[in-house]
Amino acid sequence: MRTTQRITIEQIQTAADLLIAGKLVAFPTETVYGLGADALNPHAVKRIFEAKGRPSDNPLIAHIASHEQLRQLAIEVSPLAKLLIERFWPGPLTLVMDKDPDLPDDLTAGLDTVAVRMPEDPIALDLIRRVGRPIVAPSANRSGRPSATTWESVLIDLDGRIDGVLCGPPTRIGLESTVVDTTTDEPVILRHGAITQEMIQRVWPSGRSSSTHLGLGPIPGSNGPAASEVQVDFARRSPGTRHRHYQPKARVVLFDSIDQLGELPLAVGILAIASKSDLHAIESDLSGKYPGAKLCVCSSFDDYAGRLFEFFRECDLENVPTIYCQRVELSGLGRAIMDRLDRAAG
Ligand code: AMP
Ligand code: MG
């Protein structure tokens, strides 16, 4: 058991020094808190897997603060990757590219590709610049658990297992980055996030998703491979998706509309969505019907994404046995929300 140092933003150089020395430090990004380590130090990279209890076949994302750092990681940046970089970096978009063969094997879980992102969060960028090397930063939670969107949540999972946490503000987006494979002729979305499929298709109209949420395949009207082929290909391309993910201790049950909820036990969690104009009416309706419930009624997809994991964690702290979560429409950020909800519900 090591002591995990609480580091204030004013002490950011301490966090950088620890990372340079091969230590593990969690830090805020715009998506969720990341567990940082020097991406080019094989020993530090190995320790990330141990601290998180992360399966060794789940590769990490390298975070960079400059375009020069990309050259230390990727052997080739395809025209597709260049376009996405121009349009969306810095930001919550991770690109999978052909890797430099000298990279530590653990970083890429033995794949011949590497996942890279340039975050836009000023604290994350400042930290990576001070370290002067790419930083791997998987979500700063024990493997399988909901991601941490506050430094306090990082400590609930990792206190005593990592060397430091940079105590910044809660994260802005609350869900992990979009992951896009750019090693083929068209972008394939391996994980949905705040850079949405619609945003990518505006830049590259034939872009498609491999997620279960789009009928597993090409977008309507395109001539892509059959669904089953895409599914097999997807598991190979995105190993992380094979594992248990985002799960609170509570059982997660999904529902479509509040009218379907019916009778519930007293102590449950309810995560729902309403339009801004209906918000107060729905809140008072739910608290009248379910007086013992822990409620979280969100007013938009952004709000839902931002509060989802923290609500799971609050329910766990109060030992709520079941959390009922309202499904959202599969458009825009809704795809990322539904991906996390489906996996949380197992
Ligand atoms: P996390 O860092 O916990 O947010 O997870 C990183 C995600 O990126 C996982 O879903 C990984 O499977 C995915 N990923 C990382 N590297 C690669 C890669 N080279 N090819 C495909 N997916 C990757
Ligand atoms: Mg994760």
Side-chain angles (χ1 to χ4, degrees):
M1 187 91 169
R2 68 194 68 239
T3 309
T4 301
Q5 210 177 320
R6 279 72 166 156
I7 305 166
T8 65
I9 297 303
E10 293 68 40
Q11 300 166 323
I12 190 166
Q13 187 57 41
T14 305
D17 291 340
L18 285 170
L19 288 168
I20 291 167
K23 307 284 185 193
L24 307 188
V25 181
F27 63 96
T29 79
E30 70 273 24
T31 56
V32 297
Y33 268 71
L35 177 56
D38 179 348
L40 305 178
N41 176 337
H43 175 70
V45 169
K46 224 182 190 74
R47 278 197 49 216
I48 289 263
F49 286 86
E50 287 162 16
K52 281 186 55 109
R54 185 176 175 102
S56 58
D57 66 350
N58 190 3
L60 304 173
I61 297 172
H63 291 65
I64 57 174
S66 71
H67 293 276
E68 287 71 53
Q69 286 179 332
L70 187 52
R71 289 194 209 111
Q72 295 174 278
L73 300 164
I75 203 160
E76 201 203 319
V77 181
S78 66
L80 163 61
K82 281 200 183 102
L83 193 71
L84 294 174
I85 286 171
E86 260 167 44
R87 179 64 190 78
F88 297 114
W89 276 9
L93 176 68
T94 295
L95 300 177
V96 173
M97 304 181 210
D98 289 322
K99 77 165 194 177
D100 183 313
D102 292 338
L103 288 181
D105 257 353
D106 286 337
L107 164 63
T108 60
L111 296 176
D112 49 15
T113 53
V114 61
V116 188
R117 174 163 105 84
M118 187 187 288
E120 72 189 13
D121 183 278
I123 299 169
L125 282 175
D126 185 15
L127 182 66
I128 302 165
R129 274 193 203 110
R130 285 168 190 262
V131 175
R133 288 154 82 87
I135 300 291
V136 283
S139 51
N141 51 277
R142 290 299 292 266
S143 202
R145 300 254 306 132
S147 298
T149 60
T150 65
W151 64 264
E152 292 93 338
S153 292
V154 173
L155 288 175
I156 288 172
D157 276 22
L158 298 173
D159 199 8
R161 303 181 67 86
I162 62 176
D163 301 290
V165 57
L166 187 54
C167 303
T171 61
R172 178 173 65 81
I173 295 169
L175 298 181
E176 306 76 5
S177 60
T178 308
V179 178
V180 174
D181 188 348
T182 65
T183 60
T184 46
D185 295 341
E186 57 176 41
V188 178
I189 300 173
L190 301 178
R191 177 173 74 187
H192 288 288
I195 302 297
T196 62
Q197 176 164 332
E198 289 85 347
M199 291 161 80
I200 290 166
Q201 283 172 343
R202 252 175 255 140
V203 177
W204 198 284
S206 64
R208 65 188 166 88
S209 157
S210 275
S211 141
T212 42
H213 284 306
L214 287 172
L216 278 169
I219 53 165
S222 75
N223 297 317
S228 56
E229 288 170 42
V230 176
Q231 191 164 28
V232 172
D233 189 36
F234 178 55
R236 184 182 59 76
R237 282 192 196 193
S238 187
T241 51
R242 283 198 290 255
H243 300 287
R244 204 172 73 81
H245 241 116
Y246 317 122
Q247 292 180 340
K249 293 187 199 119
R251 186 168 69 106
V252 172
V253 175
L254 308 186
F255 67 94
D256 286 312
S257 94
I258 287 168
D259 317 328
Q260 291 175 344
L261 276 175
E263 292 280 307
L264 294 179
L266 259 186
V268 294
I270 301 176
L271 178 57
I273 184 159
S275 63
K276 282 203 172 73
S277 53
D278 289 345
L279 194 67
H280 293 301
I282 299 236
E283 269 170 350
S284 58
D285 184 34
L286 283 172
S287 55
K289 259 199 214 146
Y290 306 109
K294 218 176 144 44
L295 291 182
C296 178
V297 186
C298 307
S299 61
S300 64
F301 284 4
D302 284 343
D303 193 26
Y304 203 127
R307 294 164 74 182
L308 171 63
F309 288 139
E310 212 45 39
F311 185 65
F312 281 1
R313 286 174 170 277
E314 279 166 31
C315 287
D316 275 357
L317 284 178
E318 294 180 25
N319 293 314
V320 170
T322 311
I323 307 171
Y324 292 83
C325 302
Q326 188 166 7
R327 291 196 182 88
V328 300
E329 191 192 318
L330 286 176
S331 67
L333 190 58
R335 287 195 185 89
I337 295 170
M338 280 312 303
D339 168 63
R340 305 322 186 261
L341 287 181
D342 276 341
R343 286 171 198 280

